[in-house]
Amino acid sequence: MADAFLKIRDLKKHFGENKVLDGVDLDVARASVTTIIGKSGIGKSVLLKCIANLLAADSGTIELEGQPIARSRRGSGDSDGVTFSYMFQNNALFDSLTAAENVALPLVEGTHLKRAEIRQRVDAMLEHLELSSSAQRYPGELSGGMKKRVALARALITKPQIVLFDEPTTGLDPERKFSVFEMIADYRARFGFTALLVSHDIPEVFEISDQVAWLDGGKIRFFGPPSDLHIETESALAGFLSKANYGRKNELSKGESSI
Amino acid sequence: MIRTLGKTALGVVHELGEISLFGFEALRGFCGQRHRLSKLVLAIHEVGVRCLPIVLTVGLFTGLVMGLQLYYTLVKFGAESALGTAVALSLIRELGPVLTALMVVGQAGSAMASELGIQRNDEQIDALHTMSIDPKGYLVGPRLLAAVICFPMLTALFDLIGIVGGYLTGSVLLNVDSGVYWNRVFESVTWADVRGGFVKALVFGLLTISICAYRGFNTHRKASFPGVRGVSESATRAVVWSSVGVLATDYLITSFLL
C-alpha cells in the first residue's frame, strides 16, 4: 500500500528471550477500521502500545503520513491537533474524577479551550453516548458498559486522527458488545478517524472492519478484508478461526440472513 | 562479600540518582502543567492539612514525654531550671523535623505510593501519556511542591505544640517555674537553630515525597510481584526507604550544621 496513513516496517519487540514482535509490517489506510486478531498473549496489545509510544520498540519504524510517529504525537494546543487516542482494555478511568471530568480531562489539561466550550463538547459527547444522567457519577458507581462508554467518550473527545482500541468489548454482554462496535462504526463515519482495534470478538468485529490483520509468531501472517478470510486459506489461520467458531458463526449468520 | 557490598552500594547510588532525576522531572513537568494552582491546593490538602492532626498529636505527646524524662534527668544535677532549654532545642534541632517527616511518610507517603501504584497497574498513568499529559508533572509535581511548602510549616507546629507539652509536664505537673521555663526557651533558641530545623524539614520533604512517589510510580518496574502484592510492596518499601532516608540524611545535615 503506497499511500498508507500508518506504515509499520520490521517492528521488533523482545521481552528477554521472548520475541513478541519479530518483524511486523502493517499498512493502515486513512479512515479505515483495521482489526488485529490473534491468540491471547501473542503481542497484539504490545503492538498497539508500540504505536502509541507507551512501549519503545527494539527496532523498526512506525510512520504516520511519512513522519516518524514520535514527531507526530501531538499537533497544536487546539484539541483538533491531537493525533492519537487510546481506549484501554480496562478503561483506565480516574476513580477520583466524575464521568464528565474524565471525559473532559484531555481537553482541560491538553488544550487552551475555554471552560464553556469544553463543557459544551463534553455535554454533547455524553449525550451522544447516552451518559448525560451519569455525568456526575464516579467510575466506581458505573456499570461495566457505562465505563466503556465513558472511556470511548474520552478517547473521541479530542477528535483524534487515529484511535487505538485495545479489546474495547472485554467483559460486555453480547448486546453491549454490539452497541460498542456500532458506536465505533458510527463515530468513525461521523469523525472520519482511523481505527485500529484489537479484538477477540470473532466474527462480530468483522462487521465493522475494513481490514483484518492476523498476528502470529511475532509477524502479521494475514492482512486483507474480512471477506478474504476463509477457514481454508491457511492451516494455522484456519485453526485459529475454527477455535474462534468463525466458520460456524459465519454459517449461522448466513443462514439467518437467508431467512 | 566485598563484591556484594560494592554491588549493593552501587545499586543504592544508582537508585538515589534515579529518585533525584524523578523528582527533578516531576517539578519541571509541573511547570508545564495547566491549572497549577488548583492542583497545588489539592496537594497541600493531601500532604499538609490531612497530616496536621497526627503531627499535632504526636508533637504534644513527644513534648509531654520529654518534659517528664528530661525533668527526672536534670533534677539529679539540680538543673531542672534548664528544662525549657533542653525541650526546645531537642525539638527544634532534631526531633521536630525527624518525627514530623516520619508522621507524614506514614500518613501521606504510604497513601501516595499505593495510589500511584494502583494508577500504574490500572493503566491510568499510561492513559495520561496517550493524552499527552506528562504524568510526573500531573501526579507527582504538585505533591513535591506541596511538600516543600508543608513540611516546614508542619515542623514548626510540631515544635510549638511539643514545647507546650514540655511546659504542661514540667511546669503544671512537676512545678518547674513557668517563667523560668519560658524564659529559658526564648533565651536558648537562636535563629540558627530554627533555620537548621527548617533546612532539615525542606530536605526531608523533598526526599520522602520523591521516594514515595517514585516507588508507587514505578511499581511495574520495581516491585517483585505484579498486581495488588506489588502495590503493597511498593507502599511498604516507600515507607521503609523514606524512614531510613530521613534518619541517614538527618545525621548528614546535623554534622554539617554543627
Side-chain angles (χ1 to χ4, degrees), chain A residues 46-112:
Chain A
V46 171
L47 176 57
L48 280 198
K49 285 182 177 174
C50 285
I51 296 169
N53 253 338
L54 292 174
L55 280 176
D58 297 333
S59 63
T61 57
I62 307 173
E63 291 180 353
L64 189 77
E65 294 184 303
Q67 289 287 316
I69 207 121
R71 279 192 221 161
S72 46
R73 281 291 291 130
R74 173 174 273 282
S76 63
D78 182 24
S79 65
D80 297 333
V82 174
T83 312
F84 278 100
S85 257
Y86 197 112
M87 186 175 161
F88 288 84
Q89 191 175 348
N90 58 1
N91 307 317
L93 297 174
F94 286 84
D95 302 327
S96 55
L97 303 179
T98 63
E101 287 167 344
N102 264 292
V103 175
L105 187 65
L107 297 181
V108 172
E109 296 297 333
T111 71
H112 297 290

Side-chain angles (χ1 to χ4, degrees), chain B residues 75-88:
Chain B
V75 85
K76 286 179 186 170
F77 305 101
E80 62 270 28
S81 59
L83 184 67
T85 305
V87 169

Side-chain angles (χ1 to χ4, degrees), chain B:
Chain B
M1 188 190 160
I2 292 172
R3 184 177 291 175
T4 315
L5 207 65
K7 226 176 181 178
T8 311
L10 282 176
V12 171
V13 171
H14 178 77
E15 188 104 342
L16 283 174
E18 274 197 356
I19 291 168
S20 308
L21 274 177
F22 176 83
F24 175 73
E25 283 170 6
L27 284 174
R28 194 183 57 185
F30 181 65
C31 296
Q33 292 284 314
R34 304 197 67 220
H35 313 293
R36 287 188 291 272
L37 187 63
S38 59
K39 288 185 188 112
L40 184 61
V41 169
L42 279 175
I44 286 174
H45 182 259
E46 183 188 346
V47 177
V49 179
R50 286 171 69 178
C51 292
L52 188 60
I54 187 72
V55 166
L56 291 180
T57 308
V58 173
L60 179 66
F61 281 106
T62 304
L64 288 169
V65 170
M66 284 185 73
L68 276 178
Q69 291 284 12
L70 288 171
Y71 176 83
Y72 285 111
T73 307
L74 292 170
V75 85
K76 286 179 186 170
F77 305 101
E80 62 270 28
S81 59
L83 184 67
T85 305
V87 169
L89 287 183
S90 310
L91 281 169
I92 291 170
R93 291 166 70 155
E94 201 59 50
L95 287 174
V98 170
L99 288 178
T100 302
L102 294 179
M103 287 306 108
V104 178
V105 165
Q107 169 93 11
S110 57
M112 191 184 302
S114 307
E115 189 180 329
L116 289 170
I118 290 167
Q119 288 185 317
R120 170 62 74 186
N121 282 351
D122 202 27
E123 296 182 307
Q124 290 173 27
I125 292 175
D126 285 343
L128 288 172
H129 268 298
T130 63
M131 289 184 254
S132 295
I133 301 167
D134 175 11
K136 286 178 196 163
Y138 181 77
L139 296 170
V140 182
R143 286 156 163 162
L144 267 176
L145 202 57
V148 171
I149 295 167
C150 294
F151 267 65
M153 291 169 82
L154 287 171
T155 302
L157 291 170
F158 185 101
D159 293 344
L160 283 176
I161 200 153
I163 292 168
V164 171
Y167 164 77
L168 289 176
T169 41
S171 295
V172 179
L173 284 179
L174 301 168
N175 297 321
V176 173
D177 185 80
S178 62
V180 171
Y181 180 89
W182 289 113
N183 188 43
R184 286 300 179 102
V185 169
F186 292 124
E187 255 184 8
S188 56
V189 176
T190 63
W191 172 236
D193 299 319
V194 178
R195 193 177 53 207
F198 279 163
V199 168
K200 283 184 180 180
L202 273 174
V203 174
F204 294 163
L206 282 171
L207 181 78
T208 55
I209 299 301
S210 292
I211 291 175
C212 292
Y214 172 81
R215 299 287 337 181
F217 196 89
N218 292 296
T219 293
H220 61 312
R221 290 200 298 127
K222 296 287 171 185
S224 322
F225 306 98
V228 178
R229 279 185 78 185
V231 173
S232 72
E233 187 191 320
S234 291
T236 308
R237 288 204 176 176
V239 173
V240 171
W241 274 84
S242 299
S243 306
V244 173
V246 164
L247 295 174
T249 319
D250 182 46
Y251 174 77
L252 273 177
I253 299 174
T254 306
S255 56
F256 277 112
L257 287 176
L258 284 177

Side-chain angles (χ1 to χ4, degrees), chain A residues 58-179:
Chain A
D58 297 333
S59 63
T61 57
I62 307 173
E63 291 180 353
L64 189 77
E65 294 184 303
Q67 289 287 316
I69 207 121
R71 279 192 221 161
S72 46
R73 281 291 291 130
R74 173 174 273 282
S76 63
D78 182 24
S79 65
D80 297 333
V82 174
T83 312
F84 278 100
S85 257
Y86 197 112
M87 186 175 161
F88 288 84
Q89 191 175 348
N90 58 1
N91 307 317
L93 297 174
F94 286 84
D95 302 327
S96 55
L97 303 179
T98 63
E101 287 167 344
N102 264 292
V103 175
L105 187 65
L107 297 181
V108 172
E109 296 297 333
T111 71
H112 297 290
L113 294 174
K114 286 181 180 160
R115 235 171 242 276
E117 192 176 342
I118 291 174
R119 194 173 189 162
Q120 194 184 353
R121 276 204 194 189
V122 170
D123 287 347
M125 183 61 80
L126 290 173
E127 202 178 316
H128 281 310
L129 292 170
E130 297 170 26
L131 284 165
S132 298
S133 58
S134 306
Q136 297 312 316
R137 286 162 71 181
Y138 289 91
E141 301 167 335
L142 301 173
S143 68
M146 284 168 141
K147 283 183 198 168
K148 285 276 173 210
R149 281 184 281 159
V150 174
L152 182 63
R154 190 178 68 182
L156 299 179
I157 193 78
T158 48
K159 299 181 185 171
Q161 294 177 52
I162 297 186
V163 186
L164 308 171
F165 297 92
D166 192 356
E167 301 191 28
T169 52
T170 304
L172 297 183
D173 60 72
E175 200 179 327
R176 286 284 179 208
K177 274 180 192 174
F178 180 73
S179 85

Side-chain angles (χ1 to χ4, degrees), chain A residues 5 29-33 83 152 155-156 159-165 183-197 210:
Chain A
F5 182 54
R30 184 187 286 276
S32 66
V33 177
T83 312
L152 182 63
L156 299 179
K159 299 181 185 171
Q161 294 177 52
I162 297 186
V163 186
L164 308 171
F165 297 92
M183 276 188 295
I184 292 170
D186 179 35
Y187 275 84
R188 196 276 300 250
R190 202 179 300 178
F191 296 125
F193 60 79
T194 306
L196 200 56
L197 275 100
D210 299 311

